[in-house]
Amino acid sequence: PGGDWTEEFTACQIHYSKKTDPRKVSFFAFAHDCKLDAPLTSKEDLLAFVRKKKDEWGTDGRYTNISSSFIPEAANPSCVRYRMDVQDNGASNMCINPFLLMKVIVRFCTHRHNPNSAVDLAYSIRHVPDYVDTTYRAEGVALLDSLRLEARTGQHSEER
């Protein structure tokens, strides 16, 4: 993604971190390959699955004042976008702040050619309370919008 990024790869995840001033802000993005136990056959099933996964996130007490919203994509019935705004009470770079603010924006899509596969693509901006974002949100939205689900020729499908 550029000279000011680091990338890490695992078998089912790509993680990007952008070089920032960690005393003020951190920005990262990831893509995670998900294998589903059963296909999500409707928008309602997809939305319920994503909400359940979000509700499991952050149950250890580190995150408080969680607000979220979910929006199924009208043009793509296999995708849901959701947003979470939270206070992070346990970040390693809090310095003198009692908490950091974190915004997580996610695009979760099932693959129409392989209904047991999905991709979870997200970005997160974590910052001190008085930080004003001028660029990271636009970069994150561009990343989410770059996701294309295409069938690979042959027997298998892939996410791009």
Side-chain angles (χ1 to χ4, degrees):
D4 54 351
W5 288 87
T6 59
E7 331 179 269
E8 295 175 31
F9 296 91
T10 66
C12 61
Q13 185 166 312
I14 302 171
H15 183 264
Y16 295 103
S17 297
K18 186 166 180 96
K19 186 177 180 181
T20 63
D21 179 352
R23 295 169 299 163
K24 294 181 181 178
V25 63
S26 64
F27 178 77
F28 77 92
F30 71 86
H32 184 247
D33 180 27
C34 304
K35 300 300 178 205
L36 304 172
D37 293 334
L40 303 172
T41 57
S42 69
K43 274 189 174 184
E44 293 78 20
D45 290 345
L46 177 61
L47 192 57
F49 177 84
V50 171
R51 280 192 174 152
K52 181 177 182 283
K53 288 297 182 187
K54 192 280 306 171
D55 288 344
E56 294 170 359
W57 185 86
T59 56
D60 63 357
R62 175 176 170 173
Y63 304 103
T64 57
N65 294 331
I66 299 171
S67 69
S68 58
S69 64
F70 300 84
I71 302 170
E73 290 185 4
N76 191 344
S78 66
C79 293
V80 170
R81 290 190 190 228
Y82 69 93
R83 169 199 58 74
M84 290 189 298
D85 292 297
V86 304
Q87 287 183 357
D88 184 347
N89 303 296
S92 60
N93 61 332
M94 291 192 321
C95 300
I96 62 168
N97 299 288
F99 60 85
L100 297 181
L101 297 175
M102 185 166 70
K103 179 178 288 297
V104 181
I105 308 292
V106 182
R107 185 177 187 207
F108 183 90
C109 298
T110 57
H111 198 294
R112 65 181 172 263
H113 300 292
N114 184 351
N116 284 32
S117 291
V119 65
D120 199 14
L121 184 64
Y123 72 89
S124 170
I125 304 168
R126 182 182 342 239
H127 57 83
V128 297
D130 62 350
Y131 179 79
V132 177
D133 175 37
T134 57
T135 61
Y136 298 123
R137 181 178 282 177
E139 287 185 66
V141 169
L143 173 72
L144 295 185
D145 289 343
S146 73
L147 175 64
R148 302 288 179 260
L149 301 173
E150 300 175 354
R152 178 189 275 185
T153 56
Q155 296 178 316
H156 303 291
S157 299
E158 72 177 9
E159 287 100 18
R160 293 183 192 216

